[in-house]
Amino acid sequence: MSEIITLIPQRATAEALAPFGAIIGAASGAKSVAVDFYKGAVRMSYPAPFECDHPVEITLADMDPRPGEVRYMERHAQHTQAFIPLGGKPFVAVMAPPCEGDLPDLSAVRAFYFDGSAGFAMHRGTWHEFPFAVLPDTQIAVLLSSQTGYDLKAKDAVTEEAHGPDLDKKDIRARTGRLFRFSLEQDLG
């Protein structure tokens, strides 16, 4: 039997997300700069740096709701992964800040509710589980390293974990006896 740790999702804000990464969207607070060629009709802001030691892939995740349980958490050593919602549908992301240890700091694990108007880019080493859809047919664009796919294919048949130059995916429940759970029954105001 696992010890259940209940997470209360909090609304994703630039301030709340700072230890984990950065908001991508109007809520980032990044200042827009006009692009001279378009006479002010196009403005660009730079809310989050993206770094990658390998070619970058843009993938599209089609998601449906799944139970709000976090058994696995992973981190990336060679890139800053980003998740950007398409279609304005909400999702939940569960993360822990980067750390030096072999596992995330379980006391620092947080759940964030994104209303669909913004995504996020994580710092290198941020522990996370793949985002959770709140509604059926949710699509999220994922910017990630091509190395991640190779590392995921190296899944260990015994431990069901995956490790490689970029990816460090751990079975938190098997290693610690703890399972994180969240629900969206409370008002996120």
Side-chain angles (χ1 to χ4, degrees):
M1 169 80 43
S2 299
E3 175 188 350
I4 305 300
I5 299 172
T6 302
L7 300 174
I8 308 290
Q10 66 185 93
R11 193 164 289 281
T13 64
E15 182 177 288
L17 218 62
F20 311 91
I23 292 276
I24 298 174
S28 72
K31 303 292 183 224
S32 293
V33 176
V35 178
D36 291 340
F37 290 101
Y38 306 109
K39 298 180 181 17
V42 175
R43 293 168 303 285
M44 306 284 286
S45 65
Y46 301 92
F50 190 86
E51 303 169 358
C52 191
D53 297 348
H54 300 279
V56 174
E57 295 178 347
I58 301 173
T59 61
L60 183 62
D62 292 306
M63 306 182 325
D64 289 315
R66 67 187 202 268
E69 291 189 354
V70 177
R71 175 180 174 178
Y72 296 95
M73 291 189 84
E74 65 186 58
R75 62 182 169 181
H76 302 282
Q78 298 179 336
H79 80 291
T80 55
Q81 192 171 33
F83 297 90
I84 304 167
L86 304 176
K89 291 190 178 177
F91 64 94
V92 172
V94 176
M95 296 180 270
C99 64
E100 294 296 320
D102 194 40
L103 292 171
D105 175 354
L106 299 184
S107 69
V109 174
R110 300 288 182 269
F112 294 98
Y113 174 83
F114 289 81
D115 66 7
S117 67
F120 66 99
M122 295 180 293
H123 302 309
R124 285 185 193 225
T126 294
W127 289 94
H128 62 285
E129 173 59 294
F130 200 86
F132 293 80
V134 174
L135 300 171
D137 301 317
T138 296
Q139 289 189 321
I140 294 182
V142 184
L143 283 73
L144 72 160
S145 167
S146 60
Q147 183 63 45
T148 302
Y150 299 119
D151 294 350
L152 282 169
K153 289 177 184 167
K155 177 181 171 184
D156 185 287
V158 175
T159 66
E160 296 187 356
E161 296 181 344
H163 307 283
D166 175 59
L167 179 72
D168 184 17
K169 187 174 188 82
K170 302 279 179 63
D171 184 337
I172 301 301
R173 185 177 72 183
R175 288 173 173 262
T176 70
R178 295 184 177 131
L179 181 69
F180 290 94
R181 280 197 184 140
F182 69 88
S183 72
L184 294 175
E185 296 176 6
Q186 74 282 354
D187 178 23
L188 293 166

